[in-house]
Amino acid sequence: MIRVLIADDQDAVRFSFRTILGAAPDIRVVGEAADGNAALTLAKEQLPDVALVDIRMPGMDGLELTRVLGEAVPATRVVVVTTYDLDAYVHTALRNGACGFLLKHSGAGLLTEAVRAAAAGDALISPEVTVRLLRELATPSPAEHPLTDRELDIVALVAEGRTNAEIGATLYITAGTVKTHLANIQQKLGVENRVAIAAWAWDTGHCTPRRPTRP
């Protein structure tokens, strides 16, 4: 069971997140806080696996909370969930140790997937944020690689910010099969998570999936 702490100063947002996560059989909300200081106290008491943290909160803001949690409760993985997708926020959040950055309108599926990814030691960033950040990388240059055509299709869709379910639907395979492919891709490329896979795709020019066909 993945234990989650929600930190957001808006009652409606906390209720929404609690409802979404409560519908997942493998996730349990163990605490809620309306400001950064209260969230830190709860995290020390509850030791959650994942903390969903808003940026703009009274007292300690979410960016500082992310940094402090990394020092005080290092086992807790932080996913920043906010309305604001300013590059400065994204960069600071990731630099302070966040393993995910979601916009609040990303949807229930992406929220639960981000929690699961964080708990598994992976990372997930909202698609529109991912694409914008990765396009800041250097001009793509072709490179030798050990990936199959199917794996390249998955890499390209990851670079677009697609979830496992969306990739599976596009390629006519199950989300479980996508997860297996991603594990193989990470091993072959020597990277740790899907954000690094997306970065590799943009850096090497493998950002356009082939026309999908049924297996």
Side-chain angles (χ1 to χ4, degrees):
M1 183 70 68
I2 302 171
R3 305 171 72 253
V4 178
L5 168 67
I6 301 172
D8 195 293
D9 63 337
Q10 298 182 49
D11 293 342
V13 172
R14 295 199 308 275
F15 175 79
S16 176
F17 287 177
R18 183 172 69 250
T19 301
I20 291 169
L21 298 178
D26 57 334
I27 298 173
R28 180 163 65 95
V29 176
V30 297
E32 298 180 30
D35 64 75
N37 293 320
L40 177 59
T41 299
L42 269 176
K44 290 178 178 178
E45 294 174 353
Q46 297 294 332
L47 302 178
D49 301 302
V50 179
L52 297 179
V53 174
D54 185 27
I55 288 181
R56 296 188 178 181
M57 293 187 292
M60 188 190 309
D61 67 30
L63 297 175
E64 178 64 9
L65 175 61
T66 298
R67 185 189 67 78
V68 174
L69 282 174
E71 298 174 351
V73 196
T76 297
R77 307 272 291 177
V78 177
V79 176
V80 172
V81 188
T82 182
T83 305
Y84 311 97
D85 66 340
L86 299 177
D87 286 353
Y89 285 162
V90 181
H91 293 157
T92 301
L94 298 179
R95 186 169 60 249
N96 285 2
C99 63
F101 192 101
L102 296 185
L103 300 181
K104 289 182 179 178
H105 65 253
S106 295
L110 205 59
L111 181 68
T112 53
E113 186 165 340
V115 167
R116 291 178 179 131
D122 207 337
L124 194 151
I125 300 177
S126 283
E128 56 266 59
V129 177
T130 301
V131 171
R132 189 179 71 248
L133 290 178
L134 293 176
R135 280 176 175 162
E136 296 175 3
L137 296 176
T139 302
S141 56
E144 293 295 326
H145 62 80
L147 304 184
T148 66
D149 287 344
R150 174 62 84 192
E151 289 169 343
L152 286 175
D153 288 339
I154 291 173
V155 164
L157 292 168
V158 168
E160 292 181 357
R162 305 287 190 90
T163 66
N164 288 358
E166 290 170 339
I167 293 172
T170 299
L171 300 179
Y172 307 109
I173 57 179
T174 67
T177 299
V178 173
K179 185 176 181 180
T180 299
H181 279 306
L182 286 173
N184 292 335
I185 291 166
Q186 288 175 205
Q187 182 177 23
K188 288 181 179 181
L189 297 181
V191 299
E192 296 183 355
N193 53 54
R194 68 195 300 131
V195 174
I197 291 174
W200 180 87
W202 283 99
D203 193 40
T204 59
H206 294 288
C207 306
T208 304
R210 300 173 304 153
R211 185 174 181 177
T213 57
R214 291 185 180 275

